[in-house]
Amino acid sequence: MNIYKPVRTIGLVVTVGALVLSAGCAKKDQGEVQTSGVKLIKAGTLTICTHLPYPPFQSKDASGKVVGFDVDVMDLVAKKLGVEQAIVDTPFEGIKSGQDLNTGKCDAAAAGMTITEERQKVMDFSAPYFDATQAMLVKTGKSYKSLDDLKGRKVGVQAATTGRDYARRFEKEKSLQLVEFEDLAAEQQALATGQIEAAINDLPVWAEYIKENPGGFEVAAEFDTGEQYGISVKKDGNPELLKTINEELAKAKQDGTYDALYEKWIGQKPRV
């Protein structure tokens, strides 16, 4: 947008009109409202916040493209809206606190995120789209089978996650030395290099890691925490987008698309 210089027309300086025009144009660059009533922060784009890496839900492939279960799920929503999906990699703390949504960094967050009462206070969640549980990973051959076996030893957790919160409940009782890592990759590296004796995180994440590192690691224990993942939008800020996400999730579960994506990224879907 060009800034107009003052122009004299019959002795009148028209700088005010130029400023008003400039301000009006700035507002149009802030996003758009779809015909369905869905608000997007960027025209033609569904902007999604996530935290990398977190395979199989989201991570970069060999070419640097972000792929995963969550990515494919949100592609269904983007297709319904007739737009492209764009992914923003951001620290998980900003996602779970609702800050990234409140500041307009993204339209929605899809980050393998568990629905909790605390998080529901600061953001709106979709219907649950994935049943999760926590698990403890150790190097193959270690004798650890429970948290009781790790008394006085270092146990890795990922910052701002429900896995960390679960471990904290037993930190004093079982004399655990919890070591917090900013992301999953750092937690995995610490376990691989012997900085920690065990690591706690979501079971599907460890299953993917074991698949990528055959023979090196094993799940020593599972903790049935009854967790479910949800996709979030700004609190009371975009009801039509939330409605569209829920509609696409329901449709995908009905027509078999969800099961196909589950098998592609997670494995055989459990029968219930």
Side-chain angles (χ1 to χ4, degrees), residues 55-119:
F57 298 96
Q58 50 271 324
S59 61
K60 291 183 179 180
D61 64 12
S63 70
K65 180 182 178 182
V66 180
V67 298
F69 185 77
D70 286 356
V71 179
D72 282 0
V73 167
M74 294 312 295
D75 268 339
L76 300 177
V77 180
K79 183 178 180 181
K80 175 66 176 180
L81 296 174
V83 299
E84 296 294 323
Q85 178 182 183
I87 297 173
V88 177
D89 182 19
T90 182
F92 192 67
E93 180 62 41
I95 295 175
K96 76 150 193 171
S97 68
Q99 180 181 358
D100 290 339
L101 294 168
N102 291 337
T103 57
K105 183 179 284 190
C106 48
D107 299 302
M113 181 164 53
T114 300
I115 301 170
T116 68
E117 290 185 8
E118 181 180 3
R119 293 171 185 174

Side-chain angles (χ1 to χ4, degrees), residues 30-44:
Q30 292 176 0
E32 70 170 13
V33 177
Q34 300 286 105
T35 55
S36 60
V38 172
K39 292 184 291 185
L40 300 177
I41 61 173
K42 183 179 179 181

Side-chain angles (χ1 to χ4, degrees), residues 121-140:
K121 294 176 182 177
V122 295
M123 66 186 84
D124 290 332
F125 278 98
S126 69
Y129 71 96
F130 189 86
D131 294 330
T133 190
Q134 297 296 320
M136 184 175 79
L137 192 73
V138 300
K139 281 187 174 181
T140 299

Side-chain angles (χ1 to χ4, degrees), residues 216-246:
F217 304 89
E218 61 185 36
V219 172
E222 295 182 25
F223 313 113
D224 187 6
T225 52
E227 297 177 42
Q228 293 182 306
Y229 290 169
I231 298 158
S232 67
V233 302
K234 183 178 180 181
K235 186 72 174 177
D236 301 323
N238 209 338
E240 291 303 321
L241 175 56
L242 189 64
K243 178 182 177 183
T244 302
I245 292 171
N246 281 329

